[in-house]
Amino acid sequence: MKAAVYYGPGDIRVEERPEPKCEAGGLVVRVRCCAICGTDLKLATVGNPRCHPPRIIGHEMVGEIVHAGQDVRGFAAGDRITLATTVACGECPYCARNLGNLCPNAKPISYDYDGAFAEYLAIPRAAVSGGNVIKVPDSVDDEYAALAEPLSCAINAQELAGVGSGDKVLIIGGGPLGALHAALAKAIGAADVAVVERSELRLSLLRKIEGLTVIDGVHEDVSQVVSERTSGLGADVVIVCAPTRQAQEDSLQYARKGGAISLFASLPKGEADITLDSRAIHYGELRVVGASDSRPEHVRRAIELMAGGKIDLRGIVTHRVSLEDIHQGLELMKNTQSLKVMVYPRESADA
Ligand SMILES: [Zn+2]
Ligand SMILES: [Zn+2]
């Protein structure tokens, strides 16, 4: 089968690989499609020491089970599924607190196990028993199901930041995750959702999404727009999806007193020292919260939102490429020409 394999920083090759075998307690899935994640782009540019080469990458997938291993219960050939990527150990103090996304012994699929930029994916026994495999009902389209994993990370972040019905939410950074955050905030019932973006190309993609307020971070005065939209108070929740110091430092000034700031995007190692106005945090009773990854319950919630027609994801997948053209897809993301890029491992869906 064809697969996209990580060999080292900036070195991703599409090559022929043997079809994976099904281990006892595991599954083999025929991949229908798999979206390119920002972390895949990172592997294709600067690399990541957590990913052990040679490794088939890709984790934002949907597929159908072709083999269910011995002793597997609850799944059968033909079931359509998606994945929670991080396979937690289930035994450490974090897992005991139901914080498997923070498990220090976690083995993410596409870092420690082969991923889904391939025709077939083997899902290990630990992922099946860990609850990482989530069934997709017929009412959810393939491409939306493949967005369940990135959406689940947004769900984790908005839970931690406390986004609620009637809130005014400001999102800084309108890449694929910024767009997913916006869709989620609307689904939760936020009264006003605005996205700040600086790239002209992405601005034009965001403007095509219905019901979304788009702020041009270069040509508009963001503070003034936020002030106008919040009666001078500031946003209830500010979500920083742009991976820059400036965006993180600026975020405080857009939040109302008692509001929350989610530092969703991570900064590169060694470039993450920022300056925050501690008086604004102290006197404003601001909550600055992190968010990293997600747990199976968040992926399940993402699928529920989709199945119930509660979330509108139209306009978020902007490009589709074949596995052979994955470098073209990575390039589209790097140049901010796209939101989500979907990779199809086979030319025709029924092959
Ligand atoms: Zn991802
Ligand atoms: Zn653990």
Side-chain angles (χ1 to χ4, degrees), residues 4-349:
V5 185
Y6 172 70
Y7 278 90
D11 186 3
I12 289 168
R13 304 176 204 167
V14 178
E15 59 183 26
E16 207 52 46
R17 278 299 194 94
E19 280 179 22
K21 301 251 180 324
C22 191
E23 69 169 335
L27 301 165
V28 171
V29 170
R30 183 188 287 134
V31 178
R32 285 176 176 246
C33 56
C34 182
I36 300 180
C37 175
T39 60
D40 299 319
L41 180 59
K42 213 158 128 187
L43 292 172
T45 51
V46 294
N48 183 338
R50 291 181 64 204
C51 184
H52 306 293
R55 175 71 62 217
I56 301 173
I57 58 169
H59 58 268
E60 301 179 354
M61 59 79 64
V62 61
E64 69 205 31
I65 296 173
V66 289
H67 295 297
Q70 207 186 321
D71 305 328
V72 168
R73 293 224 171 94
F75 296 101
D79 287 349
R80 218 156 48 103
I81 60 98
T82 185
L83 283 178
T85 307
T86 296
V87 184
C89 79
E91 288 168 0
C92 72
Y94 290 99
C95 287
R97 286 169 170 77
N98 187 31
L99 293 170
N101 55 316
L102 305 181
C103 170
N105 314 313
K107 291 192 155 89
I109 290 169
S110 83
Y111 284 6
D112 291 278
Y113 302 102
D114 276 338
F117 286 141
E119 290 173 61
Y120 294 93
L121 163 74
I123 300 175
R125 170 206 284 272
V128 178
S129 61
N132 291 64
V133 185
I134 286 104
K135 277 193 201 172
V136 178
D138 291 343
S139 60
V140 179
D141 288 349
D142 279 345
E143 290 196 343
Y144 291 165
L147 297 180
E149 193 278 338
L151 179 61
S152 74
C153 299
I155 291 173
N156 178 41
Q158 293 199 18
E159 268 180 23
L160 290 165
V163 174
S165 176
D167 276 357
K168 297 193 171 180
V169 178
L170 179 73
I171 296 158
I172 306 177
L177 262 302
L180 281 170
H181 266 293
L184 176 63
K186 282 191 275 178
I188 289 173
D192 187 76
V193 181
V195 180
V196 185
E197 172 57 45
R198 299 176 65 86
S199 150
E200 283 292 344
L201 295 164
R202 278 202 172 135
L203 281 166
S204 67
L205 296 172
L206 293 167
R207 288 194 182 107
K208 289 181 192 154
I209 297 177
E210 238 172 81
L212 185 62
T213 301
V214 182
I215 305 171
D216 180 336
V218 175
H219 298 103
E220 285 181 87
D221 180 341
V222 179
S223 291
Q224 196 189 323
V225 178
V226 172
S227 177
E228 281 165 13
R229 301 190 72 84
T230 60
S231 316
L233 274 182
D236 297 293
V237 180
V238 180
I239 302 170
V240 187
C241 295
T244 68
R245 283 175 164 154
Q246 191 69 54
Q248 292 191 342
E249 291 179 346
D250 287 350
S251 63
L252 294 191
Q253 62 181 286
Y254 306 131
R256 71 157 167 83
K257 286 183 180 179
I261 292 111
S262 170
L263 301 184
F264 182 79
S266 76
L267 300 186
K269 210 174 183 176
E271 294 169 37
D273 289 350
I274 58 167
T275 302
L276 294 183
D277 178 356
S278 79
R279 288 173 63 86
I281 298 172
H282 175 87
Y283 288 106
E285 296 189 348
L286 295 176
R287 285 183 308 118
V288 179
V289 294
S292 175
D293 204 346
S294 69
R295 300 187 291 275
E297 72 206 57
H298 300 119
V299 180
R300 231 168 277 128
R301 179 89 192 105
I303 292 291
E304 278 165 19
L305 284 171
M306 294 172 188
K310 299 252 161 55
I311 188 161
D312 184 355
L313 299 171
R314 283 176 299 171
I316 291 181
V317 176
T318 54
H319 296 78
R320 293 157 185 89
V321 298
S322 70
L323 185 56
E324 284 81 1
D325 294 331
I326 191 166
H327 285 100
Q328 203 182 304
L330 289 161
E331 211 49 38
L332 286 165
M333 286 189 66
K334 196 166 139 198
N335 300 339
T336 71
Q337 275 170 284
S338 65
L339 293 176
K340 269 292 178 197
V341 179
M342 201 58 74
V343 177
Y344 281 83
R346 277 158 301 119
E347 292 302 321
S348 67

